[in-house]
Amino acid sequence: MEILTSHGLARVELDQVDDPGFLLVLTHGSNGGVEAADLLAVREVALALGGTVARVVQPFRLAGRRAPGSPVKQDEAWLEVIDAVRKQVGEVPLIQGGRSNGARVACRTAGEAEVRGVVALAFPLHPPGRPERSRADELRGALGSCEVLVVNGDRDPFGVPDPADATQVEVLPGERHDLAKNPAAVGSAVEPWLRRWTS
């Protein structure tokens, strides 16, 4: 599924189920794609729980850029994608998320997208070695409108959010920013949190 946003073309890999309990929309980090191990692990868990899953390749990546550029433009394009996917899937509870930069987008747009929750994988709390440049306000902003689950590794050079800045913070031992050592553990951390939308 391709969606032309005001900031370029986005591509959506849509895994639909009959009578979904929820819609989970996920996206990648700055340098990666929607085949990242942690995103696939969360996708599998969501499908097993009866959710429809959309994995979004954002316009900047389809254009071949590694940096997302303006957060304002990135967020505008994201909200257009969310609107199009919602129309495709129908009225079910919406959860959005992503890894790294994608987690930031999901947090920044949570209120406007009217989501029930955000799954923030490898949330980059600050640039490596620069803890004074905290992005915790993005988490707190999302927390004002929905529930926020953070899954980070305890060896992530981008830092680990404080439990007070999210509904739930899961810290996986031995994991770095890519959360690739044990993707199944990422899925296991997200599963109980997603399960609340299956009843």
Side-chain angles (χ1 to χ4, degrees), residues 19-34:
D19 193 23
F22 59 88
L23 167 62
L24 174 62
V25 186
L26 297 169
T27 193
H28 50 77
S30 293
N31 298 331
V34 295

Side-chain angles (χ1 to χ4, degrees), residues 118-189:
V118 169
V119 178
L121 305 174
F123 185 87
L125 183 62
H126 56 71
R130 302 290 302 274
E132 73 280 2
R133 294 184 57 190
S134 174
R135 299 169 179 137
D137 283 350
E138 292 179 352
L139 281 171
R140 294 182 200 124
L143 194 57
S145 59
C146 69
E147 297 186 46
V148 180
L149 170 67
V150 173
V151 181
N152 273 53
D154 66 351
R155 297 184 182 180
D156 193 331
F158 289 84
V160 178
D162 189 282
D165 293 329
T167 308
Q168 183 178 343
V169 176
E170 293 289 333
V171 182
L172 303 181
E175 291 282 3
R176 295 184 60 80
H177 192 62
D178 59 6
L179 294 176
K181 183 178 178 182
N182 184 4
V186 179
S188 294

Side-chain angles (χ1 to χ4, degrees), residues 9-186:
L9 194 66
R11 186 172 63 234
V12 179
E13 304 287 343
L14 189 61
D15 293 295
Q16 289 190 275
V17 300
D18 293 332
D19 193 23
F22 59 88
L23 167 62
L24 174 62
V25 186
L26 297 169
T27 193
H28 50 77
S30 293
N31 298 331
V34 295
E35 302 301 322
D38 53 351
L39 292 178
L40 292 178
V42 172
R43 168 187 172 265
E44 291 306 313
V45 165
L47 290 172
L49 290 173
T52 283
V53 181
R55 290 173 295 138
V56 178
V57 181
Q58 297 179 63
F60 78 92
R61 290 298 289 153
L62 275 188
R65 296 191 302 273
R66 295 186 71 163
S70 160
V72 172
K73 291 180 179 179
Q74 191 181 20
D75 293 355
E76 286 173 352
W78 177 256
L79 288 167
E80 291 174 38
V81 170
I82 289 293
D83 184 58
V85 174
R86 259 186 162 148
K87 287 175 180 171
Q88 175 78 17
V89 174
E91 289 299 319
V92 295
L94 171 64
I95 305 152
Q96 66 181 19
R99 62 163 288 101
S100 195
N101 175 263
R104 295 182 65 195
V105 175
C107 286
R108 290 194 306 256
T109 60
E112 193 166 350
E114 298 181 341
V115 301
R116 299 282 187 91
V118 169
V119 178
L121 305 174
F123 185 87
L125 183 62
H126 56 71
R130 302 290 302 274
E132 73 280 2
R133 294 184 57 190
S134 174
R135 299 169 179 137
D137 283 350
E138 292 179 352
L139 281 171
R140 294 182 200 124
L143 194 57
S145 59
C146 69
E147 297 186 46
V148 180
L149 170 67
V150 173
V151 181
N152 273 53
D154 66 351
R155 297 184 182 180
D156 193 331
F158 289 84
V160 178
D162 189 282
D165 293 329
T167 308
Q168 183 178 343
V169 176
E170 293 289 333
V171 182
L172 303 181
E175 291 282 3
R176 295 184 60 80
H177 192 62
D178 59 6
L179 294 176
K181 183 178 178 182
N182 184 4
V186 179

